[in-house]
Amino acid sequence: MALQKLKKEETLAMRNRFIGKSCRLFYPDNPVKIVRARGQYLFDENGKRYLDCISNVHQVGHCHPSITKAAAAQMELLNTNTRFLHDNIIMYAKRLAATLPEKLCVFYFVNSGSEANDLALRLAQQYTKHEDVIVLDHAYHGHLMSLIDISPYKFRKLAGQKEWVHVAPLPDTYRGIYRENHSNPGQAYAETVKDLIEEVHRKGRKISAFIAESLPGVGGHIILPQGYLTKVADYVHSAGGVFVADEVQTGFGRVGSHFWAFQLEGEGFCPDIVTMGKPMGNGHPLACVATTVEIAGAFTDNGVEYFNTFGGNPVSCAIGLAVLDVIEMEDLRGNAMRVGAHLKDLLTKLQTRHQIIGNVRGVGLFLGLELVTDREQKTPATKTAAWVVKRMKEEHQIVVSTDGPWDNVLKFKPPMCFSMEDAELVAKCIDHILTDMEANDLKLEKEDI
């Protein structure tokens, strides 16, 4: 039976009736009903086209024909429990291994980034025989209870910080404790982790893991200072812990110059565990943990079988293989590097025209535009950011969202097929909105939008 087509008002009414209210919509005052998508574009029920700057999960573009073809072909043939022998999972693991440092050669396939990060914690705790975890301030690692516990972005609004969780300062060189004018911010921020480890030891506790997004997203699209990850890994290893790189949002070529964002630190740096999420399946529920033979061995030695009924099933792995093919064949890493650099340059030029733009940062197609009411004080322009988001959607059919502790950072993580023309349109529309606000002397931070 064909699905009934509902009017937008009926869809919204039924959603309000059946879906939990904490599952929020974009643009709650006037939600967009999306019925179709292709590439970097979304289409509503009336055929209106929106440029998508939000959907980083759709790594190679919405409804890519190569991905849907691979999914349909494998689904028609077989999709079953992963404890049967099948070629797709091992062929996919082999392809993934080729993108990673040699020591990251054992894979566990799961269904989401949250599952991946939860398993990473289990691996670390089993290997080290310790419990305590160090995280970065404002971090978000997933929605499972174990991950809420290590996500300051969430636990500060809920039950609070557990005694086994320790929060290190976010290495933000724009508004953090060590800034761009510091002679070596990477080392300085790493020392805060060293100090934290020593504090943990004084309490008679031991570190199992340090976990961080290779480029913190919810924290405000932060680019970590050079040398930070290397020094932190040294301190964590000296304390008997392992280093976990969360690549859920940043892996698979989004940074352009490298396949993984942690590789921005240099060839000598290698995490002990890397986690991946749904971008690897272009939105399909596919995720993964990559680790070393030693850590995997300790996990096996606990005598408890690990199984994930459909993590890495034949359909998921067929999709994963197709995603890798598209990234390579369409040079999406190169595109992310070129288009991302162009967009960053355009946004940086806007900064010279608009005082409200405090900082432009990012790499590849992972960019942030921080809005402030005062460049010296770096006062967050939260309401202005929300206003820009609203006007981008309503006047220019561009969907973008905000991040950062004060929701004043416009974030750009579009599908990697984003074009030069798309970048120019985004910059032009932001310029238009900010120019109009300035011309009308609109000071939203002192008003109620």
Side-chain angles (χ1 to χ4, degrees):
M1 186 176 74
L3 286 174
Q4 180 183 359
K5 290 185 177 180
L6 303 174
K7 293 181 180 179
K8 177 180 172 179
E9 295 75 16
E10 295 173 313
T11 303
L12 182 58
M14 290 182 69
R15 181 183 172 98
N16 288 335
R17 178 182 174 188
F18 292 114
I19 306 301
K21 296 294 189 295
S22 58
C23 302
R24 296 177 183 174
L25 290 164
F26 289 127
Y27 313 104
D29 294 337
N30 184 21
V32 185
K33 182 176 180 179
I34 299 300
V35 300
R36 182 169 66 89
R38 178 59 65 97
Q40 65 272 51
Y41 301 111
L42 304 166
F43 299 86
D44 71 10
E45 76 280 14
N46 299 314
K48 182 183 287 186
R49 191 183 81 173
Y50 294 84
L51 177 61
D52 185 1
C53 298
I54 292 173
S55 299
N56 63 295
V57 167
H58 300 91
Q59 192 82 345
V60 302
H62 292 277
C63 303
H64 193 290
S66 295
I67 310 301
T68 55
K69 182 179 178 181
Q74 184 58 55
M75 196 174 290
E76 194 171 73
L77 189 63
L78 171 72
N79 198 28
T80 190
N81 193 303
T82 54
R83 286 192 282 185
F84 289 109
L85 192 62
H86 196 271
D87 287 347
N88 283 10
I89 191 169
I90 54 146
M91 296 306 294
Y92 186 42
K94 183 180 179 183
R95 288 278 299 276
L96 276 183
T99 70
L100 288 159
E102 189 175 353
K103 79 171 190 177
L104 295 171
C105 59
V106 182
F107 300 87
Y108 298 88
F109 290 100
V110 294
N111 303 287
S112 71
S114 290
E115 262 194 284
N117 282 332
D118 178 77
L119 179 56
L121 291 183
R122 289 182 59 189
L123 288 166
Q125 290 170 342
Q126 179 65 34
Y127 177 70
T128 63
K129 306 299 184 186
H130 303 311
E131 180 185 24
D132 290 36
V133 176
I134 295 177
V135 298
L136 294 181
D137 205 359
H138 308 298
Y140 174 67
H141 293 290
H143 59 76
L144 301 183
M145 282 294 292
S146 62
L147 305 173
I148 297 296
D149 285 345
I150 65 163
S151 298
Y153 167 69
K154 291 290 186 181
F155 71 59
R156 289 211 170 100
K157 302 172 187 175
L158 296 168
Q161 189 171 337
K162 298 290 193 293
E163 63 177 354
W164 53 272
V165 177
H166 312 280
V167 180
L170 180 67
D172 180 357
T173 57
Y174 174 63
R175 61 165 65 245
I177 54 177
Y178 304 112
R179 301 184 177 180
E180 292 144 329
N181 58 358
H182 192 281
S183 60
N184 191 346
Q187 177 67 46
Y189 276 113
E191 291 291 333
T192 66
V193 177
K194 181 184 179 184
D195 293 342
L196 193 55
I197 291 171
E198 291 172 355
E199 182 183 325
V200 171
H201 287 173
R202 284 195 294 271
K203 295 176 181 177
R205 307 182 70 93
K206 298 288 185 181
I207 298 297
S208 70
F210 171 93
I211 180 170
E213 299 166 88
S214 298
L215 299 175
V218 168
H221 276 49
I222 304 301
I223 304 302
L224 300 178
Q226 200 66 30
Y228 174 75
L229 295 179
T230 300
K231 293 302 296 184
V232 167
D234 288 344
Y235 296 142
V236 171
H237 290 153
S238 295
V242 299
F243 190 106
V244 182
D246 180 337
E247 289 272 349
V248 170
Q249 293 194 28
T250 55
F252 293 83
R254 177 157 294 278
V255 300
S257 57
H258 298 81
F259 203 86
W260 306 100
F262 73 78
Q263 293 171 323
L264 294 168
E265 179 72 359
E267 280 191 26
F269 176 71
C270 178
D272 304 295
I273 301 173
V274 172
T275 61
M276 313 164 200
K278 285 181 285 294
M280 67 193 295
N282 210 45
H284 183 83
L286 172 63
C288 184
V289 178
T291 191
T292 66
V293 170
E294 294 77 17
I295 292 174
F299 193 56
T300 301
D301 290 344
N302 71 8
V304 178
E305 176 193 11
Y306 176 78
F307 68 91
N308 192 307
T309 308
F310 264 69
N313 66 73
V315 170
S316 294
C317 289
I319 290 170
L321 285 162
V323 168
L324 293 179
D325 286 341
V326 171
I327 290 173
E328 185 176 333
M329 290 187 298
E330 297 185 7
D331 187 28
L332 292 184
R333 272 182 55 195
N335 189 66
M337 190 160 54
R338 291 185 294 271
V339 175
H342 186 49
L343 178 55
K344 186 178 179 182
D345 181 58
L346 292 171
L347 296 176
T348 302
K349 288 175 180 174
L350 290 187
Q351 188 179 11
T352 65
R353 290 166 46 84
H354 304 287
Q355 281 293 309
I356 200 163
I357 298 177
N359 189 241
V360 179
R361 54 182 175 262
V363 60
L365 286 172
F366 184 92
L367 300 171
L369 181 76
E370 181 152 358
L371 302 185
V372 295
T373 58
D374 185 302
R375 284 189 178 178
E376 289 297 318
Q377 299 297 320
K378 297 180 169 58
T379 312
T382 302
K383 290 185 178 181
T384 302
W387 184 244
V388 172
V389 166
K390 182 178 180 180
R391 289 189 60 177
M392 289 282 278
K393 186 266 277 190
E394 293 181 352
E395 297 174 18
H396 303 288
Q397 288 80 59
I398 298 173
V399 292
V400 65
S401 59
T402 59
D403 241 331
W406 297 276
D407 276 317
N408 67 315
V409 180
L410 299 178
K411 60 179 180 178
F412 300 94
K413 292 181 293 190
M416 285 171 57
C417 52
F418 213 66
S419 72
M420 292 287 195
E421 292 76 18
D422 297 328
E424 287 163 8
L425 177 63
V426 165
K428 179 182 177 182
C429 293
I430 292 174
D431 187 26
H432 169 76
I433 292 168
L434 295 181
T435 300
D436 182 57
M437 289 173 63
E438 290 157 4
N440 289 288
D441 197 28
L442 201 58
K443 294 181 174 60
L444 297 174
E445 303 310 310
K446 298 179 182 177
E447 298 172 15
D448 189 12
I449 296 177

